[in-house]
Amino acid sequence: MDSVFSNVDRAPEDPILGVTVAYNNDPSPAKLNLGVGAYRTEEGKPLVLDVVRRAEQQLVNDPSRVKEYIPIAGLADFNKLSAKLILGADSPAIQESRVATIQCLSGTGSLRVGAEFLKKHYHQSVIFIPKPTWGNHPKVFNLAGLSVEYYRYYDPATRGLDFQGLLEDLGAAPSGAIVLLHACAHNPTGVDPTPEEWEQIRQLIRSKSLLPFFDSAYQGFASGSLDTDAHSVRTFVADGGECLIAQSYAKNMGLYGERVGALSIVCKSADVASKVESQVKLVVRPMYSSPPIHGASIVATILKNSDMYNDWTIELKGMADRIISMRQQLFDALKAKGTPGDWSHIIKQIGMFTFTGLNKEQVVFMTKEYHIYMTSDGRISMAGLSTKTVPHLVEAIHAAVTRVD
Amino acid sequence: MDSSFSSIAPAPEDPILTVYFASRDDPSPVKLNLSGGSYRSEEGKPHVLQVVRRAEQHLANDLSRDKEYLPLDGLSEFNKLSAKLILGDDSRAVEENRVVTIQCLSGTGSLRVGAEFLAKHNHERAIFVSNPTWGNHPNIFSLAGLSVEYFRYYDPRTRGLDFKGMLEDLGAAPSGAIVVLQACAHNPTGVDPTLEQWEQIRQVVRSKSLLPFFDNAYQGFASGNLESDAQAIRMFVADGGECLIAQSFAKNMGLYGERIGALTIVCTSEDVAMKVKSQLLLVVRPMYLSPPIHGASIVTTILKNSDMYNDWTVELKRMANRILSMRKQLYEALQARGTPGDWSHIIRQIGMFSFTGLNEKHVRFIAKDYHIYMNYDGRVSIAGLSSKTVSQLADAIHAAVTRMA
């Protein structure tokens, strides 16, 4: 019998996931996985936060809790608390009821729902994204029906921000175009604008009536401070203008697999926010009806209990500090070894990832000879390093840089 | 500064939700909400299965568990067990590796992912749904890019199946069109084809090369028996042909809010199945990256443990039996009152819902004078009834039918 799907092509494997597959297949005991963006402890293990386990126990042991459908927009208290977390408890936008917040499936789900909403209701359907950006971004926006353009972002010469290029490209964008901004801890480069640079970006965006869409996947995880990492988003909201925010709890609460996040749309008025929310629900219902209850309940439990909230901030700082320490250790070790080149970008970049500057050939070399796995663009996950494994990585980088062009 | 969203209209309110809000805001102590689609106990309360609570405790107490991202296609053990549940332990299609199953967000998510895949890869865009069907079906398929058509299904005169109309309309469908078939316990009518009728439907579907897409939301919940409720699907799979199946654990495991389900695509060969799977992942990744871990873990824990599995079947049968008992009690109460009309459809229909045959005027009257809430199309959730409230509903129906046309 013929298949109706006989003309379906085999899809190419996802490059980032392919790294983990290759890593898993490597029998070497010295292998090191610096590919995927999930936090690892000093022992190289996944981490479930203590406060998350506590919250989960509390929920599971509460016989009054049920598993009914939650509203299409998600858990109400989760939504309020999430908005407060990113915008600040004293945010006028919240006090004026100008913020529509909808629980979504982590950052990806928030981006997709937001993009589908914009495609349907916003007059511009082009979105500008930084070059480079997270591999999944273009697909999320394309499938939502938006057309994707790039603005310059990373400067390989400095391994820092191409600020001139960024301002030029955003300055040339059509009025009203959507602009994707990584709120902090840019993925994959780790390069963030300074507060002064953010202010210039904000002025440019507002003067061209561009619509900011923030991807906030690392709040608290970048600097260790929730407020500091929210700074860029808050300066935009403080100017009274509109924006979208995709918020994820995957990294900062370690809730990766629970798929918890929120889409916030900051509007000019409460009336508009209310209409916007009603329309976002029409995007959600035919996609998955309503979001899952478990992850959002864990987050809400933690955010609304001041002891748990405090414990969370401590554990979060612990994770961020370990990553910052790994950056310092790697930099110091490369300097001590005398590895040619300027490696200061390792401590200047921020967040989970470092764009090492290594090229494809060097990456392949490091994988083959040293069993070190990273994405082919030279991006390494600092969260996958430990004090014990830094020397191995340094050896590999040194060899790659001195032996391979 | 004008809002970018100032011209957005408020979304029309979901009709089912309107009824829910009216019932929620009714101060009457005797109010009864029969509009929703979740099971209620004899005490009128939401019901969490005991075996689910046990599984959840077991998971929360297992400190070796982490919250890492699931693979794009979900929890692999969950996928295998779900396929076996619907197709049978001895399914040849499963043995021949012709079945691809991916975890999705309950039934809705499975339908949407399947529909997006079909819109991209099926040569025919038309998808036929029953008249009437679940309110969300048309939206799901339209937004995925398919074009929705209807086949006759419900006969208001008999309050049963318009079998002749159904066969005619399917017979006239273009070759290769997709046909949505509710596997059992049709929502909203409660009207299912007999096995003999299913066989004729199968022959028409296969002879016209139509592609069946089963919506399987009530396996075990309709008759009380998991195998019986799977027969229609298994009949189709047994003929060696292809089909899609959207499977939900919302009702039969009471996991509504956890959003747990699976999309299965039965193909004619293992090679095709692998290609199909790789393409499904391309639909999922830009939608929400990967599915949530919690609900899938609960289902897996139960399905793979034979004691828990048995306990589940016992609780499932109890729920199904309570609903069957409510149907009988309602029917007998109407007979006892001598309510004009033939009410036998109440005991002939199956599953959570009954299409009472009441019209909108009756429904509004009943809401106003008897504080009983049902959908405007006359659909009543039998699962929301109890022995205590049956007479209240019988009185209301009697009054409505005798006092208005």
Side-chain angles (χ1 to χ4, degrees):
Chain A
M1 205 183 295
D2 250 351
S3 168
V4 303
F5 307 121
S6 44
N7 291 326
V8 168
D9 287 325
R10 202 198 195 119
E13 198 175 62
D14 179 274
I16 298 179
L17 296 180
V19 171
T20 296
V21 169
Y23 168 84
N24 287 335
N25 291 333
D26 187 332
S28 164
K31 64 182 181 179
L32 188 54
N33 187 1
L34 301 179
V36 175
Y39 181 81
R40 291 286 174 270
T41 62
E42 221 1 75
E43 295 70 41
K45 301 246 175 295
L47 177 67
V48 177
L49 273 60
D50 276 344
V51 71
V52 164
R53 285 216 192 276
R54 266 161 61 205
E56 203 174 40
Q57 289 277 356
Q58 192 179 305
L59 292 166
V60 163
N61 291 324
D62 181 355
S64 74
R65 286 186 58 77
V66 298
K67 293 196 178 293
E68 296 297 287
Y69 292 118
I70 64 180
I72 299 172
L75 286 181
D77 57 356
F78 167 85
N79 289 337
K80 287 195 185 64
L81 292 161
S82 295
K84 280 198 161 153
L85 183 66
I86 185 62
L87 299 179
D90 54 356
S91 165
I94 293 179
Q95 280 157 20
E96 292 159 18
S97 301
R98 298 193 282 112
V99 183
T101 303
I102 297 100
Q103 177 192 339
C104 289
L105 281 99
S106 209
T108 308
S110 306
L111 290 167
R112 178 62 179 266
V113 170
E116 296 231 344
F117 164 78
L118 290 174
K119 171 68 183 156
K120 202 169 158 194
H121 296 286
Y122 187 58
H123 64 275
Q124 266 284 13
S125 61
V126 61
I127 181 164
F128 281 73
I129 67 181
K131 192 169 161 55
T133 191
W134 180 41
N136 205 20
H137 274 146
K139 304 187 183 73
V140 170
F141 300 127
N142 278 328
L143 280 183
L146 299 177
S147 74
V148 171
E149 305 265 359
Y150 288 85
Y151 60 90
R152 278 169 285 171
Y153 191 84
Y154 179 70
D155 184 350
T158 59
R159 290 167 197 177
L161 183 63
D162 178 0
F163 192 47
Q164 255 301 98
L166 182 155
L167 291 179
E168 275 175 35
D169 289 348
L170 291 189
S175 174
I178 310 154
V179 181
L180 180 74
L181 300 164
H182 293 223
C184 70
H186 183 271
N187 176 5
T189 68
V191 170
D192 283 352
T194 63
E196 296 72 31
E197 285 167 341
W198 270 121
E199 174 54 21
Q200 284 189 256
I201 294 169
R202 184 194 66 76
Q203 284 178 20
L204 176 59
I205 282 179
R206 294 310 193 194
S207 73
K208 303 273 309 176
S209 299
L210 305 177
L211 180 63
F213 196 155
F214 286 96
D215 186 345
S216 175
Y218 299 98
Q219 189 189 359
F221 203 88
S223 68
S225 157
L226 288 156
D227 289 326
T228 303
D229 291 348
H231 189 72
S232 62
V233 173
R234 292 180 189 178
T235 54
F236 275 76
V237 174
D239 70 14
E242 299 178 318
C243 66
L244 284 80
I245 306 160
Q247 202 176 352
S248 168
Y249 290 95
K251 287 86 175 170
N252 62 11
M253 280 213 192
L255 289 172
Y256 306 94
E258 299 289 356
R259 317 310 294 126
V260 204
L263 169 68
S264 278
I265 305 184
V266 181
C267 308
K268 289 277 355 188
S269 71
D271 182 58
V272 169
S274 160
K275 291 184 205 171
V276 162
E277 178 173 327
S278 74
Q279 289 291 351
V280 173
K281 279 154 58 168
L282 292 195
V283 171
V284 170
R285 183 135 163 83
M287 199 183 275
Y288 48 85
S289 270
S290 57
I293 186 175
H294 193 67
S297 304
I298 292 174
V299 173
T301 301
I302 292 171
L303 293 183
K304 71 184 177 193
N305 176 307
S306 54
D307 285 342
M308 283 187 152
Y309 185 98
N310 286 335
D311 290 345
W312 172 47
T313 61
I314 292 169
E315 286 192 79
L316 181 49
K317 189 159 198 328
M319 290 194 288
D321 285 348
R322 198 182 86 69
I323 289 177
I324 292 171
S325 158
M326 285 305 107
R327 289 185 176 280
Q328 193 65 49
Q329 287 185 39
L330 180 58
F331 172 71
D332 290 343
L334 285 167
K335 277 205 85 175
K337 197 151 174 85
T339 304
D342 176 3
W343 298 97
S344 61
H345 55 283
I346 290 176
I347 46 178
K348 280 192 266 153
Q349 291 165 5
I350 190 169
M352 201 179 277
F353 303 112
T354 290
F355 236 32
T356 53
L358 296 162
N359 62 39
K360 265 206 194 84
E361 291 72 31
Q362 289 166 332
V363 169
V364 167
F365 169 83
M366 285 171 65
T367 303
K368 192 156 168 291
E369 303 295 326
Y370 288 85
H371 309 280
I372 293 180
Y373 291 82
M374 68 184 80
T375 48
S376 60
D377 55 8
R379 182 194 85 167
I380 56 173
S381 165
M382 303 311 288
L385 265 182
S386 69
T387 304
K388 282 194 288 293
T389 52
V390 163
H392 180 52
L393 177 59
V394 166
E395 281 258 341
I397 292 177
H398 190 92
V401 162
T402 50
R403 284 198 247 162
V404 183
D405 289 314
Chain B
M1 214 191 296
D2 249 345
S3 168
S4 302
F5 310 118
S6 46
S7 57
I8 285 183
E13 206 166 64
D14 184 306
I16 298 183
L17 289 180
T18 314
V19 176
Y20 162 73
F21 289 135
S23 109
R24 183 196 60 185
D25 299 338
D26 184 335
S28 163
V30 300
K31 69 181 174 180
L32 184 59
N33 183 10
L34 300 179
S35 68
S38 6
Y39 179 82
R40 289 286 173 270
S41 63
E42 210 15 59
E43 296 69 42
K45 300 244 178 294
H47 182 64
V48 178
L49 273 64
Q50 284 180 343
V51 71
V52 164
R53 287 215 192 274
R54 265 164 60 207
E56 206 174 37
Q57 291 273 358
H58 177 79
L59 293 165
N61 291 331
D62 182 355
L63 298 179
S64 74
R65 290 182 57 77
D66 58 44
K67 290 193 179 295
E68 295 297 286
Y69 290 116
L70 287 182
L72 295 180
D73 58 341
L75 197 53
S76 137
E77 222 183 339
F78 167 84
N79 292 337
K80 290 194 183 63
L81 291 163
S82 297
K84 282 202 158 151
L85 182 65
I86 184 58
L87 299 179
D89 282 329
D90 53 356
S91 162
R92 272 192 29 225
V94 170
E95 273 160 30
E96 291 164 11
N97 295 316
R98 297 192 281 113
V99 177
V100 46
T101 301
I102 67 166
Q103 177 192 340
C104 289
L105 281 102
S106 209
T108 307
S110 305
L111 289 166
R112 177 65 178 262
V113 170
E116 295 232 342
F117 166 80
L118 290 174
K120 205 169 157 191
H121 298 283
N122 199 43
H123 65 271
E124 178 54 63
R125 288 269 167 118
I127 182 164
F128 283 75
V129 300
S130 63
N131 184 4
T133 191
W134 179 40
N136 205 18
H137 273 154
N139 300 328
I140 294 168
F141 302 128
S142 305
L143 279 182
L146 298 174
S147 96
V148 177
E149 310 256 7
Y150 291 85
F151 59 88
R152 278 170 285 170
Y153 192 81
Y154 178 70
D155 185 346
R157 287 173 304 117
T158 60
R159 289 165 199 179
L161 182 63
D162 177 2
F163 191 48
K164 193 157 170 297
M166 180 177 184
L167 291 182
E168 273 174 33
D169 290 349
L170 292 185
S175 174
I178 308 147
V179 183
V180 177
L181 299 165
Q182 297 197 32
C184 68
H186 185 271
N187 178 3
T189 68
V191 170
D192 283 351
T194 62
L195 280 181
E196 295 71 31
Q197 288 171 328
W198 271 118
E199 171 55 22
Q200 286 188 256
I201 293 167
R202 186 194 66 76
Q203 285 178 20
V204 170
V205 165
R206 292 312 192 192
S207 72
K208 300 282 307 179
S209 298
L210 304 178
L211 180 61
F213 196 157
F214 286 98
D215 187 345
N216 179 40
Y218 298 98
Q219 188 189 359
F221 204 87
S223 68
N225 183 298
L226 289 157
E227 311 293 309
S228 306
D229 290 350
Q231 279 198 286
I233 288 178
R234 293 181 189 181
M235 198 186 282
F236 276 73
V237 174
D239 69 14
E242 298 180 317
C243 66
L244 285 80
I245 305 163
Q247 195 175 2
S248 168
F249 288 95
K251 285 87 174 169
N252 62 11
M253 281 212 191
L255 290 171
Y256 306 96
E258 301 287 356
R259 318 309 295 122
I260 178 65
L263 169 67
T264 283
I265 304 188
V266 181
C267 309
T268 51
S269 72
E270 179 173 1
D271 184 60
V272 168
M274 289 200 317
K275 292 184 196 170
V276 164
K277 178 170 168 175
S278 72
Q279 291 289 346
L280 284 175
L281 302 187
L282 292 194
V283 171
V284 168
R285 191 156 194 271
M287 199 185 278
Y288 50 83
L289 202 67
S290 60
I293 188 174
H294 195 65
S297 304
I298 293 173
V299 173
T300 303
T301 303
I302 293 171
L303 292 184
K304 73 181 184 187
N305 176 306
S306 55
D307 285 343
M308 282 187 153
Y309 184 99
N310 286 336
D311 291 345
W312 171 51
T313 60
V314 168
E315 286 192 78
L316 183 50
K317 193 157 198 341
R318 200 181 299 139
M319 288 195 289
N321 283 346
R322 198 185 86 68
I323 292 176
L324 287 168
S325 164
M326 288 305 107
R327 288 185 176 277
K328 197 154 171 293
Q329 288 186 35
L330 179 58
Y331 173 69
E332 284 167 359
L334 290 168
Q335 295 285 88
R337 282 160 182 69
T339 307
D342 175 4
W343 297 96
S344 63
H345 55 282
I346 290 176
I347 46 177
R348 276 184 285 126
Q349 290 164 3
I350 189 167
M352 203 178 274
F353 305 111
S354 173
F355 237 30
T356 53
L358 298 166
N359 63 36
E360 192 173 325
K361 280 225 292 270
H362 295 138
V363 171
R364 289 187 182 278
F365 165 80
I366 288 175
K368 188 159 168 296
D369 282 31
Y370 285 82
H371 308 283
I372 296 178
Y373 295 83
M374 63 185 77
N375 292 7
Y376 295 124
D377 56 10
R379 186 194 84 169
V380 155
S381 168
I382 303 286
L385 273 179
S386 72
S387 307
K388 286 191 287 292
T389 53
V390 162
S391 45
Q392 182 187 347
L393 178 59
D395 287 341
I397 293 176
H398 187 89
V401 162
T402 49
R403 282 195 240 168
M404 31 183 60

